[in-house]
Amino acid sequence: MLPIRTIRRTAGAALLLAGPILAATLAVATVNTAAAADPRLLGTFKDWNAFAFDEGGHKVCYLSSQPKKKEPAAAKRGDIYVLVTHRPAEKALDVVSVVVGYPLKKDSESTVDVAGKSFKLFTDGETAWARDADTDKAVTAAMRDAKGKSMVVKGVSGRGTKTTDTYSTDGFAQAYDAINQACGVKR
């Protein structure tokens, strides 16, 4: 049985996939989107976009980015992106999730390296998550402090293919400030 944190995140993940690239995915996930309004773009901050929407009368804010480099380049994959989400009504802040565009190896871990700091994420399907709120907070702080550096995510597919995705942290701090303001989060 999945931990409650996993179940909650997995169920809510469909709502966070909004954006031009993911419109088709969002349309299919009607169970989770019935109570949600379309996400509103708060702004584009270099390599990051910030969004907000209402879900059942509660504000949800998130920021997202896509990798600058994907290895192996020839690997067949779907959409690849990282999200940091605030759901203040649930007291869930800085929730980090990474969608890798392929089914990850069952019971595997992915790693996130940000400016010399390394974090392990548990995997479920195509998504990697921080194990707890403290790790979410630490990853988010590292991304915020990594001004002008990169973030590297590594994972292994169900077929054994090792992937490495490199993200820019340019604009993360500004996008993070935008979702904090939109969701009324004091940092």
Side-chain angles (χ1 to χ4, degrees), residues 81-123:
Y81 51 94
V82 63
L83 302 167
V84 177
T85 306
H86 291 334
R87 291 176 176 273
E90 296 176 19
K91 297 183 178 25
L93 304 176
D94 298 340
V95 177
V96 175
S97 57
V98 182
V99 176
V100 296
Y102 61 82
L104 289 151
K105 183 177 178 182
K106 188 169 175 60
D107 299 323
S108 68
E109 288 184 330
S110 286
T111 60
V112 174
D113 292 303
V114 186
K117 296 177 183 174
S118 185
F119 306 93
K120 292 186 182 213
L121 307 179
F122 77 90
T123 63

Side-chain angles (χ1 to χ4, degrees), residues 67 70-72 74-80 99-102 163-165:
K70 301 172 267 192
E71 298 174 90
K76 194 171 193 175
R77 298 166 70 181
D79 293 323
I80 307 165
V99 176
V100 296
Y102 61 82
T163 60
T164 302
D165 299 318

